[in-house]
Amino acid sequence: MNDAKTRPLGGSDLNVPRLCLGGNVFGWTADEPTSFRVLDDYVAGGGTFVDTADVYSAWAPGHRGGESETVIGRWLADRGRPEGLVVATKVSEHPEFRGLSAANVHAAADASRKRLGVDAIDLYYAHSDDADTPLEESARAFSELVDAGEVRYIGLSNHTPDRIRAWLDICADRGLHAPVCVQPHYSLLERGAEDALIPLARERGLALLPYHGLARGFLTGKYRPGGPDVDSPRAGRASAFLEDARAMRVLAALDTVAERLGVAQGAVALAWLADRPTVASVLASARGPEQLADLLPVDSLVLDEESTALLTEASAA
């Protein structure tokens, strides 16, 4: 990775690499020393974009949420902040900070900044929609964080195109700081974002940063009919794709392209996604340095037209 390969994040002054390191595993399936090694290797490869959320990993027994942010914060304190590093986190799903009310958004941002050890969050997402809070209240709260210098830019995640449009319209009407990007579920096996979200992103100048780009690990090629069990908390959902004829077509296409290019299937899947319209960066996590090594080529991997066509056709509904 290098600066020449970064992309602008919507209308912001942030520039991000094609591969964003997801932090959902930090402090969960990757302990702190392993998480530090993954972060070190990512930065050593030129990576400058780390994504987490305040809820990670509240679902694990004995966890309260904030574990991932805490690990990243300790890594930043120990290593010093790498030049150009963009740190993103999210609000609305932490057990103690649910929803997008103004009071909650402000309180959660304070808690996240303390865990991360940063004065300002580079990119702060509304992690999921909150139908119980007026959209204007949420939009104003995020904008106030930008005015206060506690957040640099705003993002949305898991919002429908209609709700995203409404949020943007409120910001335009009220003179508020507007979101610059959206984080949707999008992959070779989940292409719903192409129906309405990508046209909206093009219209409003939003960047997309897809998550689940590896379909919970299925697109790494680890899951095979009759193959060995995979040691992963996501194995159950990923294995379900083995019963899906379209998923098996995609896997076969990934095998063909990966062999042709000499890279891992996961890198091919993410490279295809990174080349989709309005996509600025793709999220992927790694439980250890070995998994990360398979993904690092994404930043420089250029798929030829034949490979792209093969994958696009195989994944068509």
Side-chain angles (χ1 to χ4, degrees):
M1 297 182 186
N2 57 59
D3 289 342
K5 292 170 183 167
T6 60
R7 299 169 169 183
L9 188 67
S12 77
D13 65 358
L14 299 177
N15 289 286
V16 295
R18 284 160 54 103
L19 178 64
C20 174
L21 182 61
N24 61 308
V25 297
F26 298 154
W28 175 36
T29 55
D31 61 20
E32 186 165 304
T34 303
S35 299
F36 277 30
R37 290 197 297 273
V38 170
L39 286 159
D40 288 342
D41 287 357
Y42 176 69
V43 170
T48 57
F49 193 11
V50 176
D51 176 275
T52 186
D54 62 358
V55 69
Y56 301 159
S57 47
W59 55 82
H63 287 206
R64 300 177 57 185
E67 286 79 12
S68 174
E69 289 180 331
T70 298
V71 168
I72 293 170
R74 288 174 179 165
W75 175 77
L76 288 170
D78 186 75
R79 303 295 201 260
R81 183 161 184 158
E83 183 178 357
L85 183 72
V86 174
V87 178
T89 192
K90 312 178 191 76
V91 56
S92 77
E93 297 186 5
H94 189 287
E96 298 175 22
F97 301 102
R98 291 195 182 278
L100 297 175
S101 69
N104 188 70
V105 167
H106 281 279
D110 284 342
S112 287
R113 288 190 302 114
K114 289 175 183 176
R115 285 190 290 264
L116 291 166
V118 299
D119 293 328
I121 298 166
D122 296 310
L123 180 59
Y124 199 41
Y125 285 98
H127 199 169
S128 56
D129 205 349
D130 177 6
D132 296 326
T133 299
L135 210 54
E136 181 172 346
E137 178 181 339
S138 302
R140 191 172 296 279
F142 276 83
S143 187
E144 288 169 351
L145 290 173
V146 177
D147 287 333
E150 297 175 14
V151 166
R152 293 179 65 193
Y153 292 102
I154 300 161
L156 301 179
S157 180
N158 300 307
H159 286 64
T160 66
D162 285 346
R163 292 285 280 180
I164 294 168
R165 186 184 297 275
W167 189 306
L168 294 172
D169 287 345
I170 287 169
C171 291
D173 291 343
R174 306 293 190 269
L176 304 177
H177 297 285
V180 299
C181 62
V182 176
Q183 194 176 109
H185 183 183
Y186 186 19
S187 73
L188 278 163
L189 295 180
E190 174 48 68
R191 295 177 57 181
E194 297 171 2
D195 296 334
L197 182 55
I198 286 180
L200 174 62
R202 280 176 156 161
E203 174 191 341
R204 296 299 186 94
L206 296 168
L208 297 190
L209 298 99
Y211 69 89
H212 283 342
L214 293 174
R216 302 185 184 276
F218 178 80
L219 297 177
T220 63
K222 294 184 295 186
Y223 298 85
R224 303 283 175 171
D229 292 338
V230 176
D231 180 19
S232 169
R234 299 175 177 176
R237 292 184 180 180
S239 296
F241 286 115
L242 294 172
E243 306 299 322
D244 184 328
R246 183 172 70 101
M248 298 309 296
R249 291 199 306 270
V250 170
L251 184 59
L254 283 174
D255 288 342
T256 298
V257 176
E259 183 176 1
R260 179 189 302 158
L261 299 180
V263 295
Q265 288 90 340
V268 172
L270 294 178
W272 177 89
L273 190 57
D275 286 339
R276 305 308 290 173
T278 74
V279 172
S281 185
V282 294
L283 277 73
S285 58
R287 286 191 294 163
E290 300 80 10
Q291 286 188 352
L292 179 65
D294 283 343
L295 303 180
L296 286 176
V298 170
D299 190 68
S300 57
L301 183 58
V302 178
L303 299 183
D304 56 84
E305 291 184 9
E306 181 183 353
S307 296
T308 299
L310 178 65
L311 292 164
T312 303
E313 291 167 8
S315 66

